[in-house]
Amino acid sequence: MLRVTSNMMSSQLMMNLNRNASRMNDTQLQMSTGRKINKPSDDPVGITYALRYRGELSSNEQYQKNVDNAMSWLDFTDNMMDQAGNVLHRLKVLTVQGSTGTNPQAALDSVSQEVAELKEQLVDIANSRLNGKYVFNGQQYDKAPYYFPNNPDGSTDTSNAGSIMTDTGAVEYLVGENVKIGINVSGNDAFGTGNENVFVMMDRIAQALSAGNQSAASAELANIEASMDRILNMRAEVGAKTNRVELIEGRLGDLELNLSKLQAKTEDADYGELIMRSQIQENIYNASLSAGAKIIQPSLVDFLR
């Protein structure tokens, strides 16, 4: 028969008290942090899932940032092409006005001057930048797609505009796992090349009006229409990309919500359960202290009686 000594009883008491205090401390820690997993040993399986959810949420957050950047680029490109379309519309009005046979040469010169001003405006649009990047020069967005020297009178010399080749490289954003989407429009696709280039066409119109050649100016109306159609086609393409990016944005938002819910179920503490558990553990600890006080109360004199 095993003899139970007072030393054994004291040791067992202290061990039980420490265990109860440790459990109560763990519960209070979860209540203070709001998390039921504060260290890997709390839930080895749960921490594996928690880390996985955190990684996926981090990736999803970066995809959402890429989507925001892509949307900004697409919106800006659409706005610039809208302005370009407005310039071409005004050009058409002026060309029709200048093609009227009753205009004196002074009026034609005024129209020619306005056409030249419209060309300057269109050059600014073609060299538009978003966050320091030229949006119509593909992957070479650090270089202006349409760099022109100045004429002696200070105007822009666009005589070589038809031969300029803008970069055709796609500016792509990673918006999902192995999902890339190109969001840029090439300057050549928007403003044409060769004789169909809008700057070359505007030069021809301005020169024809200055020379009083109204029939030559009138002959450019078909080219203006073609340029307007080209801009509209590019805007339709940008609109289609915008719709796709918006769908991806919605999907990423849903994924973030689902991952956040899963992470919360894995990591977040249930305050109602913790409060109840804390009260129970506190009662157990207090009962242990009370019982222990009675156990270790007898002194050596008590044993010698």
Side-chain angles (χ1 to χ4, degrees), residues 61-101:
E61 181 181 1
Q62 184 59 55
Y63 293 146
Q64 288 177 317
K65 290 180 181 179
N66 292 348
V67 164
D68 290 340
N69 291 333
M71 285 295 296
S72 296
W73 188 295
L74 290 169
D75 288 342
F76 183 78
T77 302
D78 184 66
N79 288 334
M80 291 303 98
M81 288 195 294
D82 179 53
Q83 294 182 23
N86 292 335
V87 169
L88 292 175
H89 177 74
R90 178 59 181 168
L91 176 66
K92 180 180 178 182
V93 172
L94 291 175
T95 303
V96 171
Q97 179 182 339
S99 300
T100 303

Side-chain angles (χ1 to χ4, degrees), residues 2-14:
L2 179 64
R3 180 172 177 269
V4 178
T5 65
S6 59
N7 189 34
M8 293 174 59
M9 290 171 39
S10 298
S11 299
Q12 185 67 33
L13 172 64
M14 293 305 299

Side-chain angles (χ1 to χ4, degrees), residues 71-231:
M71 285 295 296
S72 296
W73 188 295
L74 290 169
D75 288 342
F76 183 78
T77 302
D78 184 66
N79 288 334
M80 291 303 98
M81 288 195 294
D82 179 53
Q83 294 182 23
N86 292 335
V87 169
L88 292 175
H89 177 74
R90 178 59 181 168
L91 176 66
K92 180 180 178 182
V93 172
L94 291 175
T95 303
V96 171
Q97 179 182 339
S99 300
T100 303
T102 57
N103 287 316
Q105 185 57 44
L108 295 180
D109 289 340
S110 296
V111 174
S112 176
Q113 181 60 36
E114 185 171 352
V115 170
E117 294 297 330
L118 286 176
K119 185 188 74 172
E120 299 288 341
Q121 175 65 17
L122 196 59
V123 169
D124 290 340
I125 293 172
N127 287 327
S128 297
R129 289 189 293 177
L130 177 66
N131 295 328
K133 298 178 180 179
Y134 293 96
V135 296
F136 292 112
N137 203 26
Q139 295 180 355
Q140 296 186 14
Y141 41 70
D142 58 332
K143 300 178 182 178
Y146 294 100
Y147 175 76
F148 302 116
N150 289 333
N151 289 314
D153 61 358
S155 62
T156 303
D157 181 8
T158 55
S159 57
N160 69 330
S163 62
I164 291 178
M165 301 302 296
T166 58
D167 187 69
T168 58
V171 177
E172 297 179 324
Y173 279 96
L174 187 65
V175 295
E177 188 173 357
N178 300 322
V179 179
K180 289 183 178 180
I181 182 170
I183 45 85
N184 64 308
V185 173
S186 167
N188 289 152
D189 290 339
F191 304 106
T193 57
N195 290 329
E196 295 180 353
N197 179 270
V198 291
F199 306 116
V200 175
M201 177 187 65
M202 295 175 85
D203 282 339
R204 290 198 303 262
I205 294 173
Q207 292 167 4
L209 293 173
S210 296
N213 190 347
Q214 293 173 304
S215 60
S218 179
E220 297 291 344
L221 287 172
N223 293 327
I224 296 175
E225 290 287 350
S227 297
M228 294 174 69
D229 289 342
R230 183 167 57 245
I231 291 292

